[in-house]
């Protein structure tokens, strides 16, 4: 019975030794191997063999990208405004040995480093710059923190400022300032609209005056030309009557007088205030005048045929 117990104990010892020498590392992690307390190597994901009782697992390091919340803290800006800021940090361990043995409490160290640089960067800017240049702040924080964590085997991939909260009284003042600025812009736009409307109206009136003057000038030119032609025709008629009288043709005088007579009757008849027309003349005089016109026409047409 004694030898059997010894065999069982030996088998169990062998099994425990084999299990102690085989390590299965999950995906996304690296384990550090230590021999008598000194770092030997990093175990990659999968099955790994170590020497039992001599080697042991030191640190289990998460190699995936991780998120670290930055708690709210108060920051005094360059223009002495007290604001409350929080953020978030994304980082990834690239070297498990450095992350395990170059720094103690990696997450706490990264968090404190980020908070310190937030106060440094934002404390050198005015409140207006903080509210309008958040991308620039994120880029500056990323460059500083990533360089500082490089000896720890850590790569900071992104730093984002989540919220910037000014004091309540400052927010109210900013609201009043924004409202006043918007009202100012609205008044400027209204004034500019009125100005443009006045300019366009004046320009339209100017063009209308120019076109009206041009029309009057053209009408005056046409009236003058008409009067000139009428005077020329009148002069020509007078000349022909004078020549006829000089040649002894009495009918020309009758034609001239009858034409004037008929024109005068037409003006009297077409007057707007004329309702009744009284002719203090004899009908035989009118017929005689018309007969004279007919004689002149016959002579004219007859002369043309010859």
């Amino acid at each position: 019975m004694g030898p059997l117990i010894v065999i069982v104990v030996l088998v169990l010892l062998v099994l425990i030794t084999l299990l102690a020498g085989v390590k299965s590392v999950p995906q996304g992690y690296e384990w550090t191997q230590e021999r008598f307390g000194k770092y030997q190597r990093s175990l990659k994901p999968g099955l790994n063999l170590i020497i039992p009782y001599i080697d042991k697992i030191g640190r289990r390091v998460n190699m995936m990208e991780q998120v670290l919340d930055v708690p709210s803290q108060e920051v005094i800006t360059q223009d002495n405004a007290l604001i409350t800021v929080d953020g978030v940090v994304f980082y990834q361990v690239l070297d498990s040995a450095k992350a395990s043995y170059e720094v103690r409490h990696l997450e706490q160290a990264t968090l404190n480093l980020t908070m310190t640089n937030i106060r440094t960067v934002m404390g050198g800017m005015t409140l207006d710059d903080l509210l309008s240049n958040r991308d620039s702040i994120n880029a500056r924080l990323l460059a500083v923190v990533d360089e500082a964590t490089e000896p720890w085997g850590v790569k900071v991939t992104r730093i984002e400022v989540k919220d910037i909260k000014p004091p309540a009284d400052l927010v109210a003042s900013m609201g009043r300032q924004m409202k006043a600025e918007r009202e100012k812009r609205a008044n400027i736009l209204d004034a500019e609209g009125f100005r443009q409307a006045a300019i366009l109206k004046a320009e339209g009136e100017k063009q209308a005056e120019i076109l009206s003057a041009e029309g009057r000038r053209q009408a005056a030119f046409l009236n003058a030309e008409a009067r000139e032609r009428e005077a020329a025709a009148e002069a020509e008629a007078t000349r022909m009557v004078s020549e006829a009288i000089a040649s002894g043709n009495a009918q020309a005088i009758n034609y001239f007088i009858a034409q004037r007579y008929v024109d005068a009757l037409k003006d009297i008849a077409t007057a707007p205030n004329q309702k009744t027309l009284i002719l203090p003349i004899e009908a035989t005089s009118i017929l005689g005048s018309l007969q004279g016109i007919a004689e002149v026409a016959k002579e004219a047409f007859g002369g043309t045929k010859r």
Side-chain angles (χ1 to χ4, degrees), residues 2 6 10 35 41 48 79 112 135 138 141 167 170 185 187-188 195 197 199 227 253 273 291:
V6 173
L10 291 175
R35 180 171 297 173
R41 66 189 178 99
N48 295 270
D79 51 353
N112 289 333
D135 291 339
N138 294 336
L141 288 173
L170 187 58
R185 289 200 297 266
N187 292 332
I188 291 174
R195 174 175 171 272
I199 292 175
R227 288 194 299 270
I253 298 176
N273 56 353
Q291 185 178 1

Side-chain angles (χ1 to χ4, degrees), residues 176-195:
R176 291 192 298 270
Q177 180 181 0
M178 183 182 300
K179 181 179 179 180
E181 184 66 25
R182 289 180 177 176
E183 290 178 352
K184 175 184 175 182
R185 289 200 297 266
N187 292 332
I188 291 174
L189 291 177
D190 289 341
E192 184 67 23
F194 291 144
R195 174 175 171 272

Side-chain angles (χ1 to χ4, degrees), residues 2-74:
L4 181 60
I5 295 175
V6 173
I7 292 173
V8 172
V9 172
L10 291 175
V11 170
L12 290 176
L13 183 61
V14 170
L15 290 176
I16 293 173
T17 302
L18 290 176
L19 291 176
V22 177
K23 300 297 179 182
S24 177
V25 180
Q27 183 68 37
Y29 286 82
E30 286 187 6
W31 294 356
T32 62
Q33 176 185 339
E34 297 178 356
R35 180 171 297 173
F36 302 114
K38 183 180 179 180
Y39 170 77
Q40 291 295 313
R41 66 189 178 99
S42 296
L43 304 182
K44 304 298 181 181
L47 289 176
N48 295 270
L49 299 177
I50 63 174
I51 301 175
Y53 311 117
I54 297 177
D55 298 335
K56 70 173 184 178
I57 301 300
R59 306 289 177 85
R60 291 172 171 82
V61 182
N62 188 344
M63 305 299 291
M64 295 178 288
E65 186 173 5
Q66 303 176 65
V67 180
L68 188 61
D69 286 327
V70 180
S72 299
Q73 62 175 331
E74 293 183 345

Side-chain angles (χ1 to χ4, degrees), residues 168-219:
D169 56 345
L170 187 58
V171 173
S173 176
M174 292 170 61
R176 291 192 298 270
Q177 180 181 0
M178 183 182 300
K179 181 179 179 180
E181 184 66 25
R182 289 180 177 176
E183 290 178 352
K184 175 184 175 182
R185 289 200 297 266
N187 292 332
I188 291 174
L189 291 177
D190 289 341
E192 184 67 23
F194 291 144
R195 174 175 171 272
Q196 291 295 332
I199 292 175
L200 293 177
K201 182 179 179 181
E203 186 67 24
E205 293 176 352
K206 175 183 176 182
Q207 292 295 329
E209 290 292 336
I210 292 174
L211 293 177
S212 177
E214 183 68 23
R216 290 194 299 271
R217 186 181 72 85
Q218 188 68 20

Side-chain angles (χ1 to χ4, degrees), residues 5-298:
I5 295 175
V6 173
I7 292 173
V8 172
V9 172
L10 291 175
V11 170
L12 290 176
L13 183 61
V14 170
L15 290 176
I16 293 173
T17 302
L18 290 176
L19 291 176
V22 177
K23 300 297 179 182
S24 177
V25 180
Q27 183 68 37
Y29 286 82
E30 286 187 6
W31 294 356
T32 62
Q33 176 185 339
E34 297 178 356
R35 180 171 297 173
F36 302 114
K38 183 180 179 180
Y39 170 77
Q40 291 295 313
R41 66 189 178 99
S42 296
L43 304 182
K44 304 298 181 181
L47 289 176
N48 295 270
L49 299 177
I50 63 174
I51 301 175
Y53 311 117
I54 297 177
D55 298 335
K56 70 173 184 178
I57 301 300
R59 306 289 177 85
R60 291 172 171 82
V61 182
N62 188 344
M63 305 299 291
M64 295 178 288
E65 186 173 5
Q66 303 176 65
V67 180
L68 188 61
D69 286 327
V70 180
S72 299
Q73 62 175 331
E74 293 183 345
V75 178
I76 300 177
T77 63
Q78 188 178 21
D79 51 353
N80 297 323
L82 183 64
I83 61 175
T84 303
V85 183
D86 59 1
V88 62
V89 180
F90 296 83
Y91 72 96
Q92 183 178 13
V93 176
L94 301 180
D95 192 327
S96 58
K98 291 183 178 180
S100 301
Y101 303 108
E102 294 294 335
V103 63
R104 186 176 179 84
H105 303 303
L106 176 62
E107 290 186 0
Q108 188 66 28
T110 304
L111 179 60
N112 289 333
L113 183 63
T114 303
M115 294 179 67
T116 302
N117 282 279
I118 285 177
R119 289 194 296 268
T120 302
V121 173
M122 291 189 171
M125 302 175 67
T126 62
L127 180 59
D128 291 339
D129 292 337
L130 291 179
L131 297 176
S132 60
N133 297 317
R134 186 169 297 190
D135 291 339
S136 175
I137 296 172
N138 294 336
R140 291 176 60 183
L141 288 173
L142 178 61
V144 173
V145 177
D146 183 47
E147 183 180 359
T149 57
E150 185 178 1
W152 303 341
V154 175
K155 174 65 177 177
V156 179
T157 57
R158 190 162 64 251
I159 296 180
E160 297 288 341
V161 175
K162 290 195 300 184
D163 198 7
I164 300 177
K165 297 179 180 178
D169 56 345
L170 187 58
V171 173
S173 176
M174 292 170 61
R176 291 192 298 270
Q177 180 181 0
M178 183 182 300
K179 181 179 179 180
E181 184 66 25
R182 289 180 177 176
E183 290 178 352
K184 175 184 175 182
R185 289 200 297 266
N187 292 332
I188 291 174
L189 291 177
D190 289 341
E192 184 67 23
F194 291 144
R195 174 175 171 272
Q196 291 295 332
I199 292 175
L200 293 177
K201 182 179 179 181
E203 186 67 24
E205 293 176 352
K206 175 183 176 182
Q207 292 295 329
E209 290 292 336
I210 292 174
L211 293 177
S212 177
E214 183 68 23
R216 290 194 299 271
R217 186 181 72 85
Q218 188 68 20
F221 175 78
L222 294 177
N223 290 333
E225 185 177 1
R227 288 194 299 270
E228 181 180 356
R229 292 183 178 180
E230 184 179 357
E234 186 70 19
E236 181 66 21
T238 303
R239 184 188 62 80
M240 294 177 63
V241 170
S242 299
E243 290 180 354
I245 294 173
S247 61
N249 188 355
Q251 296 297 333
I253 298 176
N254 293 333
Y255 168 76
F256 187 74
I257 295 173
Q259 183 182 9
R260 296 299 183 188
Y261 184 75
V262 171
D263 290 340
L265 288 178
K266 182 179 70 173
D267 292 339
I268 294 173
T270 57
N273 56 353
Q274 182 65 35
K275 302 300 181 181
T276 304
L277 180 63
I278 300 175
L279 301 177
I281 55 175
E282 298 178 356
T284 55
S285 299
I286 299 175
L287 292 176
S289 299
L290 295 177
Q291 185 178 1
I293 295 172
E295 292 295 333
V296 172
K298 287 180 181 181

